[in-house]
């Protein structure tokens, strides 16, 4: 009985790991490409449309480059955990003003849109997609 439970547990764990890897690969593929901002809110303040159109995000594999008016604003790597609810993302900044900082966030993604919400560096991961005044959060995505 213990052997069966152990084997079942191991098979379940291996299945979950494969499922997690598949989900991560799928979301990484969805993230890939060149993105433009539809909306951005930081600490309760909406970004003006002209800044949105000047900001471009390029993602390849787990690396990103954010440019504003073609000037590097931020660059780094990220890891995804699509099994969590909401899905989780951690960004490590390798270039730009926040170099060396890690930002914890949550995300939703499909073939045409992604919504993301980050807490300030060193803060707790957001649990919802809000960027209310005083929260220190940044939210980007439709709506």
């Amino acid at each position: 009985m213990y052997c069966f439970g152990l084997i079942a547990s191991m098979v379940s764990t291996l299945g979950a790991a494969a499922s997690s890897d598949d989900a991560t690969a799928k979301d990484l593929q969805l993230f890939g490409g060149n993105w433009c901002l539809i909306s951005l809110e930081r600490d309760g303040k909406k970004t003006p449309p002209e800044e949105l159109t000047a900001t471009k995000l390029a993602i390849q594999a787990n690396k990103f480059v954010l440019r504003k008016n073609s000037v590097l604003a931020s660059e780094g790597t990220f890891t995804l955990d699509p099994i969590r609810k909401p899905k989780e993302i951690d960004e490590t900044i390798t270039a730009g003003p926040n170099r060396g900082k890690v930002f914890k966030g949550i995300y939703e993604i499909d073939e045409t849109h992604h919504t993301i919400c980050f807490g300030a560096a060193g803060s707790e991961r957001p649990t919802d997609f809000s960027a209310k005044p005083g929260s220190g959060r940044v939210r980007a995505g439709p709506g």
Side-chain angles (χ1 to χ4, degrees), residues 120-141:
S123 70
E124 294 293 316
R125 184 181 313 280
T127 56
D128 62 36
F129 291 93
S130 68
K132 297 173 186 166
S135 67
R137 293 182 186 177
V138 174
R139 180 200 181 278

Side-chain angles (χ1 to χ4, degrees), residues 12-139:
S12 175
T13 301
L14 291 173
S19 176
S20 174
D21 290 347
D22 292 346
T24 300
K26 179 184 175 201
D27 280 3
L28 274 173
Q29 185 175 16
L30 289 172
F31 265 89
N34 297 311
W35 294 87
C36 58
L37 286 174
I38 296 172
S39 70
L40 179 73
E41 187 175 358
R42 181 184 318 266
D43 230 1
K45 295 179 182 149
K46 295 199 182 264
T47 300
E50 61 276 5
E51 284 188 45
L52 295 175
T53 58
T55 305
K56 305 293 181 211
L57 176 65
I59 300 174
Q60 184 175 9
N62 72 327
K63 297 179 179 169
F64 71 90
V65 177
L66 182 69
R67 296 184 184 278
K68 186 174 175 186
N69 294 316
S70 300
V71 175
L72 180 70
S74 185
E75 184 174 341
T77 61
F78 62 92
T79 58
L80 302 176
D81 187 346
I83 301 302
R84 302 272 188 185
K85 301 292 178 218
K87 295 178 179 186
E88 295 182 355
I89 182 170
D90 291 345
E91 280 189 355
T92 302
I93 309 302
T94 58
N98 289 310
R99 183 179 179 185
K101 294 182 181 178
V102 175
F103 294 87
K104 294 179 181 180
I106 56 175
Y107 73 95
E108 294 177 340
I109 191 160
D110 62 28
E111 289 78 16
T112 56
H113 296 97
H114 78 263
T115 302
I116 200 157
C117 184
F118 285 104
S123 70
E124 294 293 316
R125 184 181 313 280
T127 56
D128 62 36
F129 291 93
S130 68
K132 297 173 186 166
S135 67
R137 293 182 186 177
V138 174
R139 180 200 181 278

